[in-house]
Amino acid sequence: MQLRGGSLKTCLQRLKSRSGRTVGQYLTRAGGIWQAGYHDHALRRDESLQKVAGSLIYIPVRAGLCEVPAEYPYLWCRWGL
């Protein structure tokens, strides 16, 4: 996501509000789906972005959804990690 205007806080509030409402309606349940708060980290160089992307692709492995990142059907990375 690239922020072009406004604040990151406002952007995430809107994202969490709209997606939470939609998911809640789809699942026909009340209550929040998002954990409170967030941790932002500005990435100013492509090298930083690649390093973070490299660690993010292992989230499904750590969650037990697959053995290696390539097995995860929703994985996509422009650098071919």
Side-chain angles (χ1 to χ4, degrees), residues 21 25-26 31 35 38 42 44 46 50 71-72 75 81:
R21 201 173 318 121
Q25 289 172 347
Y26 177 78
Q35 180 178 343
Y38 70 93
R44 292 175 174 40
D46 223 26
Q50 288 180 23
E71 292 175 355
Y72 191 62
L75 174 68
L81 296 173

Side-chain angles (χ1 to χ4, degrees), residues 20 28 43 56:
T28 61
L43 301 174
L56 290 176

Side-chain angles (χ1 to χ4, degrees), residues 1-55:
M1 173 174 25
Q2 183 176 17
L3 197 59
R4 295 195 175 144
S7 70
L8 180 59
K9 180 180 178 179
T10 301
C11 179
L12 288 177
Q13 284 173 336
R14 288 179 182 162
L15 171 74
K16 290 169 78 172
S17 173
R18 292 174 184 168
S19 62
R21 201 173 318 121
T22 301
V23 170
Q25 289 172 347
Y26 177 78
L27 297 176
T28 61
R29 65 174 236 201
I33 64 162
W34 287 99
Q35 180 178 343
Y38 70 93
H39 176 75
D40 64 337
H41 182 81
L43 301 174
R44 292 175 174 40
R45 296 185 326 222
D46 223 26
E47 298 82 32
S48 298
L49 182 58
Q50 288 180 23
K51 183 177 178 182
V52 171
S55 67

